[in-house]
Amino acid sequence: MFPTLFFRDRELFVFDDGEVAAHNFGNYQRFLNQTFTTKNNLTNGKIHRFLSDNERNGRYDGNKIGGINFVSATIEWIENVCKQPIDENNTLPNICIIELTYSGIIGEHDLTLFNLALNHFKDKKNQFMHIHISRIVGGHSDGILKSIQNLINIRWAPDMIVCRSNHSISDKVKEEIARHASLQTNQVINLVEVENINYVPLLFQHTNVYSMIAEKLKLEYRPNKNNIMQEWSEAVKLADNYKNTIKIALVGKYFKNPVAINGNQIFRDSYASVINALNDAGLSTKCKVETIFVWAEDLEAVSHLEKQLAAKKLLEEANGIVITAGFNVPGFEGMMEACKYAREKKKPLLSICYGMQCAVIEFAQNVCNIKGAWSTKLWQEQNDKCNNELPPLKPEQKVIIRMFEGGNKFGRLRLGRRTTYFIKKDSASYHLYGKKSSIQERHRHGYEVNPEFVPKLVEAGLLFTGMGVDERSGNSDNMPESSQILSIIAQDDKINYDQKIQTLCNYSITNNTPVRMEIMELKDHPYYVGVQFHPEFQSRPFEASPPFMGLVLAALQHFTSSL
């Protein structure tokens, strides 16, 4: 359990079933090699809904629901999750990790109720350990001391404290924190920010964290524990000594730390899964990946010339570019500039979700000469800020449109695991994914490429190589009849590519059934790929995400050709 500060621009992790949670779930999934569901994400609202359902089922005999019911429901939820198998062999877990995330706005009363529930487990000797994790900003311990005092005030003193920081903290600061929490100095762990998260398990081993946890919980090490750590150490150290280092420019909107004293400090948590996926790909391709950060707004024409030139220089230095996901207008045109640069200079590029939409609109404007090509969502946002004074978008300008799953009127965002069918077998993505006829990746969006424009884009060289349809809960066997027809057309290898694109789009428009452009690739380019889904959420240290693998391989080739 560790309360943490939650920033508005921190990355959200998407589960298979579409629920979103703190990005830490991604770290757990990667290191534990497990796939989590909505059951693993316990929230205040879920407990209240759980209580309400129980009350309607007569579980409380008509009595008023109070704090004691909240506590009991939380205990019940945790115990149920602990009984869930962790793999296909129905293996039950030996340890349950409970992360209590403090958003900074939750009421003290609500936080106390969760603590009371956890006291049920804490009171069981040698079965509970409280590790408090917090961040030290600017080298000052004031914030972490305050958080410790808040915990002590509710009788929830930690057994260990992990201090995240950008630089090593002094022994004096450690002693001050330990003294304040009535702990030994060795129970205050300094976890310094690292370029590659794969180093973290080794840092914990070096600081004796595993031994302290094992001693507290009376755990026995697995017989092969030392072998596992040795293999992990060798793999990470080998990666540290790779001969080649490639630079990947991450063009994004959210990595300026909102609480940093130094405004230039990078807030890596906003793109944690993307950075991890790049490092995973580097591990698989035996090269180091250096991520350089380009703030999208610095690439826009309205930015100061000095900032524009500095941002463009970073793009020039990079061997590859990632255009990240996001929302809203700020930075969108800067991302389009990065797409244009990569397209014209033939520099490897991977664009994700919102980033893919940037690439499509840039191509529509500058290659297809569709004047004013834009997104209906972004236009609406701009129009709202202009008091409805913008001229309406013409039909021939609506390249990105709202495409909710289940219909725009009563439907919802496309969330969670969905199927993508490959419709062009002689494509980079098809081969990167192991020549599978279809794949499943996670989604989180509501706007997509307008099918009316797809044939024109394809004719100009922007090839859509993967497509999707409406599904129910990510189950490709459970979809509307019209979607089934589209999927059959997509998988018919007797139809040539151009004819297939035309047939799919015509059927979609005629029957008002979404055909979803999931993967795009630029013709005659080393690697210019866009994906509407989020491949970063399924990347693992020794099982890299295929689109990121493709980017890193192409960037490595760009690097060697420039020597």
Side-chain angles (χ1 to χ4, degrees), residues 332-430:
F332 190 91
E333 293 191 6
M335 289 180 165
M336 286 175 56
E337 281 298 314
C339 292
K340 181 181 179 182
Y341 172 83
R343 178 178 57 80
E344 293 180 341
K345 300 297 183 181
K346 293 191 180 297
K347 184 160 287 190
L349 176 138
L350 173 63
S351 54
I352 301 169
C353 194
Y354 173 96
M356 171 176 153
Q357 295 174 15
C358 293
V360 171
I361 290 178
E362 188 280 322
F363 190 87
Q365 288 183 2
N366 299 318
V367 178
C368 297
N369 297 315
I370 302 175
K371 188 176 180 180
W374 202 234
S375 160
T376 56
K377 183 180 188 297
L378 299 183
W379 176 87
Q380 187 61 58
E381 181 186 337
Q382 292 171 314
N383 192 42
D384 290 343
K385 291 182 178 179
C386 295
N387 297 317
N388 299 318
E389 294 180 357
L390 284 183
L393 280 181
K394 299 175 183 178
E396 60 268 24
Q397 296 174 317
K398 298 178 180 180
V399 176
I400 304 296
I401 60 172
R402 175 167 166 154
M403 287 177 65
F404 277 24
E405 203 159 42
N408 284 335
K409 189 173 183 180
F410 300 108
R412 53 176 289 177
L413 294 177
R414 190 164 163 87
L415 296 169
R417 179 169 51 87
R418 295 292 185 270
T419 304
T420 295
Y421 301 96
F422 285 104
I423 55 178
K424 187 172 176 58
K425 300 299 173 66
D426 56 336
S427 63
S429 299
Y430 175 70

Side-chain angles (χ1 to χ4, degrees), residues 195 248-252 255-256 264 266-272 275 278 290-296 298 310-311 314-315 324:
E195 290 289 329
I248 301 295
L250 192 154
V251 183
F255 46 71
K256 290 203 171 181
N264 294 322
I266 298 298
F267 186 52
R268 299 170 66 91
D269 284 358
S270 297
Y271 299 104
I275 296 169
L278 287 169
E290 178 185 342
T291 305
I292 54 180
F293 299 89
V294 182
W295 200 36
D298 286 347
L314 292 175
L315 294 182
T324 58

Side-chain angles (χ1 to χ4, degrees), residues 188-237:
V188 177
I189 309 299
N190 181 204
L191 184 61
V192 180
E193 197 82 28
V194 290
E195 290 289 329
N196 190 333
I197 198 172
N198 293 332
Y199 284 99
V200 172
L202 300 179
L203 293 176
F204 280 151
Q205 184 184 39
H206 178 71
T207 52
N208 212 31
V209 168
Y210 303 134
S211 296
M212 285 189 281
I213 293 175
E215 181 180 352
K216 173 69 176 178
L217 300 179
K218 304 301 179 185
L219 299 172
E220 294 183 3
Y221 287 125
R222 289 190 296 175
N224 61 342
K225 178 256 182 184
N226 291 333
N227 292 337
I228 292 173
M229 293 307 300
Q230 183 64 28
E231 289 174 5
W232 187 275
S233 176
E234 289 175 358
V236 173
K237 289 178 180 178

